[in-house]
């Protein structure tokens, strides 16, 4: 299983990466693998205010549709429009293809999430 | 499997023996002795089959039915002609007896039929996608409202009072516990008040998920769909139109008017009146809304050998996968009724449907003109109508006219005054009325319960809509004239309605 140095993770298999005061979010390699072929990503609207743990997106695969919860509180500032036409990028490169960028109310919030090693252990336990 | 499975005394004895009981009565031993009915029911002796068939026919003959009586009643269910091939197609046992025939491995026939149905609904409505059908016109309309709420993330819908009162009731039932607010918007001259729509939208521009209209509306009049759609779009809301599918053979498709979601009652398409059901609702939408769409959708695909095939698609929206987050909890459709609609549309064809629609238009206008000529009725609106219209009776209660018609073997129009009694329209009653009056269900007996117990807000949707009641419909009569009505029938209907005795 791939992880990504410097990336933080939630128990719901989202990742969060702090860059220049903004938090990029996406779904982990574990998540994309479990879901199978992703066929649709429902993106939030830019400007949407969101709290950590709230639904920010829905990712739909051939076999299921899963909610994506925001790892941090803040405001959605950008969304990755490319996913509208190419949702399969989340399967191919889950850590290169972010879903949304959030201007976090408290960027330090990402520190509370699991680091890559902790997440790898967490996934190992999930089986 | 045998079509007839006998159940003889010996069979029953063997079954009882197998489960260790000596009588059928013992099956009910869990029900306390004192609650069990003793003795025999007061029923007549059994009849011989021949006797029974004749008895049942006599009973059935006492019904006034649209086969024997010319029918001028509509209000959501219409007496249209059904070509006999429709019945033959839906009676094929492969279609008629199949239960949930959606496995692509064994149900290509039904899946293709539904796909064709969806295609025809899209062509009629001018929409991109249709689902496999819903329960009826009312549920389709409500599901469209829910779709709009999901898509926009807003929670209030504007519903024109020209929408069928029972559909508005259904909308209220669904909305009661899920946070959707309904604001009913009054009509001016029997079509929705666009000035009022605009003022509500401009007062709360980020609040409104959808504007819902029906066209032709409950009173028969055609709404200005394009203006309503433009108004909705201007404020980021969706427009929903509930339409008569036959009217679409003549009128501009809602899709061309910019409408986002189109729904309607599909009974007119090859389904008999049949005491009110089963019918089908149709729901079609623009492509970008497909993932918010409720219910089954059949898609076209290719199998592993490259052959054209059909299968249910986009199922991740549905409750067997999405559970409580499913876009809808309707997980069924009305497959056989949708098949009847598809068979009807294909046998009528483009020209046939236009002809039927044109006959409805001509005959209903003829009937309206004749009624007005008698001097006993007046129009309540100059808005255009398609196959149904409302007149006001000047001298006589509508109920008396309907009774006289029935005596002469004619089923009259709908007495609109009955909706004023609040029976079907409790939610839009004027909040200015006394609390007692608000829940006076048209004199219906509430089983001795204290009417005040309804004052807790349970039935109080009326508060959403102060002044929503339309007192002007007291002597109004809603008359439907389909292509089946002959000139003779219409002339006789008019003569008897005007007090004549022909």
């Amino acid at each position: 299983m791939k992880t990504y140095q410097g990336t933080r993770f939630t128990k719901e298999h989202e990742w969060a990466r702090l860059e220049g005061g903004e938090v990029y979010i996406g779904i982990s390699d574990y998540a994309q693998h479990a879901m199978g072929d992703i066929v649709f990503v429902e993106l939030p609207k830019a400007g949407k205010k969101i709290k950590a743990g709230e639904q920010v997106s829905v990712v739909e695969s051939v076999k299921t549709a899963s909610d994506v919860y925001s790892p941090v509180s803040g405001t959605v500032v950008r969304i990755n429009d490319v996913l509208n036409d190419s949702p399969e990028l989340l399967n191919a490169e889950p850590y290169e293809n972010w879903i949304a960028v959030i201007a976090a109310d408290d960027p330090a919030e990402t520190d509370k999430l699991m680091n890559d090693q902790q997440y790898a252990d967490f996934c190992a336990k999930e089986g | 499997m045998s079509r007839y499975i006998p159940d003889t005394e010996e069979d029953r004895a063997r079954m009882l023996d197998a489960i260790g009981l000596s009588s059928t009565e013992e099956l009910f031993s869990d029900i306390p002795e004192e609650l069990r009915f003793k003795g025999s029911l007061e029923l007549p002796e059994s009849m011989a089959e021949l006797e029974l068939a004749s008895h049942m026919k006599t009973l059935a003959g006492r019904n006034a039915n649209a086969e024997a009586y010319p029918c001028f009643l509509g209000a959501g269910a219409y007496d249209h002609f059904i070509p006999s091939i429709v019945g033959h197609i839906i009676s094929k046992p492969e279609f008629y007896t199949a239960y949930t025939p959606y496995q692509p491995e064994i149900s290509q026939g039904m899946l293709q039929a539904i796909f064709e149905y969806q295609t025809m609904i899209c062509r009629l409505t001018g929409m991109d996608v249709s689902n496999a059908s819903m329960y009826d016109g009312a549920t389709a309309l409500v599901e469209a409202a829910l779709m709009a709420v999901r898509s926009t993330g807003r929670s209030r819908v504007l519903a024109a009072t020209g929408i069928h009162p029972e559909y508005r009731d259904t909308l209220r039932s669904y909305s009661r516990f899920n946070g959707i607010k309904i604001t009913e918007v009054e009509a001016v001259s029997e079509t929705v008040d666009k000035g009022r729509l605009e003022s509500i939208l401009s007062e709360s521009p980020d609040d409104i998920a959808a504007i819902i209209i029906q066209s032709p509306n409950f009173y028969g009049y055609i709404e200005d769909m394009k203006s309503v759609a433009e108004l909705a779009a201007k404020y980021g809301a969706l427009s929903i139109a509930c339409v008569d599918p036959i009217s679409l053979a003549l009128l501009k498709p809602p899709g061309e008017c910019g409408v986002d979601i189109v729904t309607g009652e599909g009974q007119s398409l090859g389904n008999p009146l049949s005491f009110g059901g089963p019918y089908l609702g149709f729901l079609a939408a623009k492509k970008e809304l497909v993932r918010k769409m409720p219910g089954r959708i059949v898609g076209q695909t290719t199998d592993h050998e490259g052959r054209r095939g059909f299968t249910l698609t986009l199922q991740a929206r549905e409750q067997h996968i999405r559970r409580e987050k499913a876009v809808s909890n309707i997980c069924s459709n009305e497959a056989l009724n949708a098949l009847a609609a598809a068979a009807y549309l294909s046998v009528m064809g483009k020209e046939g449907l236009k002809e039927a629609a044109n006959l409805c238009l001509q005959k209903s206008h003829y009937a309206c003109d004749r009624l007005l000529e008698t001097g006993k009725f007046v129009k309540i609106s100059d808005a255009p109508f398609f196959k149904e219209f409302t007149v006001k009776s000047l001298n006589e209660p509508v109920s008396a006219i309907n009774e006289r018609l029935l005596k002469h073997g004619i089923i009259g129009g709908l007495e609109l005054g009955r909706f004023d009694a609040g029976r079907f329209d409790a939610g839009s009653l004027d909040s200015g009325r006394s609390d007692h009056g608000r829940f006076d269900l048209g004199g219906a007996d509430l089983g001795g319960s204290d009417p005040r117990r309804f004052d807790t807000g349970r039935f109080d949707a009326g508060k959403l809509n102060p002044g929503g009641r339309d007192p002007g419909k007291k002597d109004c009569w809603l008359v439907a004239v389909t292509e089946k009505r002959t000139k003779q029938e219409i002339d006789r209907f008019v003569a008897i309605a005007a007090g004549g005795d022909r």
Side-chain angles (χ1 to χ4, degrees):
Chain A
M1 192 193 70
K2 288 186 285 186
T3 59
Y4 196 94
Q5 286 285 329
T7 305
R8 296 283 175 159
F9 297 87
T10 70
K11 286 181 178 170
E12 281 78 32
H13 305 283
E14 292 94 10
W15 59 257
R17 196 160 63 233
L18 185 61
E19 279 180 27
E22 292 175 333
V23 179
Y24 288 71
I25 63 168
I27 61 166
S28 74
D29 188 48
Y30 181 95
Q32 71 77 18
H33 185 74
M35 290 189 71
D37 292 345
I38 290 166
V39 294
F40 181 68
V41 183
E42 187 183 311
L43 297 166
K45 284 201 177 88
K48 186 185 166 84
K49 287 198 191 327
I50 197 144
K51 288 201 178 74
E54 274 181 5
Q55 182 197 320
V56 64
S57 163
V58 181
V59 175
E60 190 178 314
S61 71
V62 288
K63 55 183 179 180
T64 189
S66 299
D67 291 340
V68 177
Y69 303 101
S70 181
V72 292
S73 300
T75 306
V76 176
V77 286
R78 285 193 299 287
I79 51 168
N80 190 1
D81 285 331
V82 176
L83 297 176
N84 281 330
D85 291 326
S86 307
E88 69 282 357
L89 290 174
L90 292 186
N91 289 118
E93 294 290 349
Y95 298 113
E96 299 299 330
N97 293 286
W98 46 277
I99 291 173
V101 180
I102 294 175
D105 296 340
D106 173 17
E109 209 178 343
T110 52
D111 296 342
K112 294 179 202 150
L113 303 171
M114 288 180 273
N115 64 28
D116 58 338
Q117 191 50 54
Q118 287 165 327
Y119 181 63
D121 294 345
F122 174 75
C123 290
K125 267 184 237 152
E126 293 258 295
Chain B
M1 197 174 78
S2 167
R3 286 178 177 224
Y4 175 64
I5 302 167
D7 174 29
T8 65
E9 280 300 329
E10 287 80 15
D11 291 334
R12 279 180 240 171
R14 275 169 58 200
M15 285 190 278
L16 286 168
D17 191 47
I19 56 173
L21 298 178
S22 58
S23 73
T24 310
E25 188 65 17
E26 277 180 51
L27 284 170
F28 304 110
S29 60
D30 289 338
I31 301 170
E33 189 71 32
E34 66 273 20
L35 295 178
R36 268 185 268 167
F37 181 75
K38 313 262 179 355
S40 52
L41 294 165
E42 269 185 61
L43 290 171
E45 287 296 301
S46 63
M47 294 179 186
E49 186 180 342
L50 178 62
E51 228 181 330
L52 180 66
S54 149
H55 176 65
M56 295 306 285
K57 268 184 199 151
T58 308
L59 287 181
R62 283 159 60 184
N63 283 329
N65 68 76
E67 289 297 313
Y69 287 49
C71 178
F72 291 86
L73 185 62
Y78 300 92
D79 182 30
H80 286 287
F81 177 66
I82 303 173
S84 68
I85 193 172
V86 174
H88 289 284
I89 288 175
I90 65 166
S91 302
K92 283 171 76 74
E94 299 90 317
F95 290 132
Y96 199 80
T97 64
Y99 178 70
T100 57
Y102 306 109
Q103 289 162 272
E105 300 87 341
I106 57 168
S107 297
Q108 282 301 306
M110 185 55 110
L111 288 167
Q112 177 164 3
I114 293 172
F115 182 80
E116 306 291 0
Y117 158 84
Q118 292 173 177
T119 306
M120 289 186 244
I121 291 294
C122 287
R123 296 250 168 97
L124 263 182
T125 57
M127 291 282 113
D128 302 317
V129 281
S130 158
N131 73 9
S133 72
M134 316 231 66
Y135 296 143
D136 55 21
T139 48
L141 178 129
V142 174
E143 288 289 341
L146 298 179
M147 232 175 119
V149 167
R150 276 193 301 274
S151 306
T152 57
R154 301 172 177 186
S155 62
R156 193 163 153 211
V157 296
L158 305 184
T161 53
I163 298 168
H164 195 303
E166 290 167 5
Y167 291 17
R168 281 184 282 141
D169 267 358
T170 311
L171 183 60
R172 276 190 285 270
S173 299
Y174 270 71
S175 308
R176 194 163 291 161
F177 297 112
N178 63 9
I180 296 174
K181 296 184 285 288
I182 305 160
T183 302
E184 296 203 339
V185 180
E186 291 298 290
V188 173
S189 191
E190 305 313 318
T191 56
V192 69
D193 183 347
K194 291 192 284 288
R196 180 88 189 107
L197 280 177
E198 173 112 52
S199 75
I200 298 173
L201 284 160
S202 58
E203 277 163 31
S204 41
D206 303 321
D207 192 25
I208 316 281
I211 307 176
I212 315 174
I213 55 164
Q214 182 175 359
S215 183
N217 65 27
F218 183 62
Y219 304 107
Y221 301 102
I222 295 166
E223 298 275 2
D224 178 2
M225 237 181 249
K226 193 161 179 280
S227 303
V228 170
E230 283 168 1
L231 207 49
K234 185 175 161 190
Y235 290 94
L238 299 182
S239 48
I240 299 170
C242 172
V243 299
D244 174 339
I246 307 254
S247 76
L248 297 182
L250 296 180
L251 299 172
K252 197 183 229 188
E256 279 180 33
C257 301
V259 172
D260 297 291
I261 309 172
V262 183
T263 71
E265 172 54 64
Q267 175 270 330
S268 286
L269 306 173
N271 284 268
L273 289 167
S274 178
F275 297 98
Y279 291 170
L280 71 146
F282 57 88
L283 190 153
K286 287 183 179 167
K287 194 177 169 192
E288 53 267 32
L289 294 169
V290 67
R291 282 169 200 280
K292 302 291 177 190
M293 215 159 151
R296 296 189 171 115
I297 300 173
V298 175
Q300 180 182 297
T301 184
T302 45
D303 70 6
H304 67 286
E305 285 164 15
R307 294 173 301 188
R308 184 186 189 219
F310 302 91
T311 182
L312 292 182
T313 189
L314 295 170
Q315 289 189 75
R317 307 162 298 114
E318 290 195 79
Q319 66 176 8
H320 61 285
I321 292 176
R322 268 297 251 167
R323 305 283 173 130
E324 79 281 6
K325 298 209 163 157
V327 296
S328 162
N329 296 108
I330 290 189
C331 50
S332 191
N333 58 317
E334 297 277 357
L336 202 65
N337 300 85
L339 176 64
Y344 173 84
L345 285 169
S346 54
V347 69
M348 294 295 280
K350 218 174 176 176
E351 289 310 313
L353 196 68
K354 238 182 232 172
E355 205 178 313
N358 205 20
L359 286 169
C360 292
L361 180 75
Q362 303 298 337
K363 290 181 175 187
S364 61
H365 282 75
Y366 174 77
C368 183
D369 290 346
R370 293 290 88 79
L371 281 173
L372 297 176
E373 272 171 19
T374 64
K376 307 270 171 84
F377 301 93
V378 288
K379 281 202 275 192
I380 62 162
S381 169
D382 287 322
F385 63 88
F386 167 58
K387 70 180 179 195
E388 201 166 21
F389 57 89
T390 302
V391 288
K392 193 178 171 87
S393 168
L394 295 174
N395 308 324
E396 205 182 358
V398 168
S399 57
I401 300 171
N402 277 340
E403 262 170 50
R404 187 164 62 244
L405 283 165
L406 203 53
K407 263 188 214 139
H408 287 82
I410 295 174
I411 299 170
L414 181 74
E415 181 191 349
L416 287 172
R418 72 185 240 204
F419 289 94
D420 279 350
R423 211 174 122 209
F424 291 96
D425 211 6
S428 62
L429 283 178
D430 193 333
S431 59
R433 267 178 132 190
S434 73
D435 279 343
H436 181 75
R438 181 179 299 160
F439 302 109
D440 178 7
L441 304 181
D445 184 11
L446 290 169
S449 63
D450 181 354
R452 279 171 303 182
R453 87 188 172 91
F454 295 111
D455 279 354
T456 51
R458 222 175 112 204
F459 284 1
D460 211 3
K463 274 192 180 157
L464 293 170
N465 178 35
R469 182 168 165 264
D470 185 354
K473 297 291 193 300
K474 190 171 159 281
D475 291 309
C476 289
W477 201 28
L478 181 61
V479 175
V481 186
T482 67
E483 79 282 11
K484 278 176 77 174
R485 300 288 72 83
T486 63
K487 181 169 182 297
Q488 288 79 359
E489 284 171 356
I490 297 169
D491 289 343
R492 195 162 164 263
F493 164 79
V494 170
I496 295 165
D501 218 9
R502 276 196 272 162

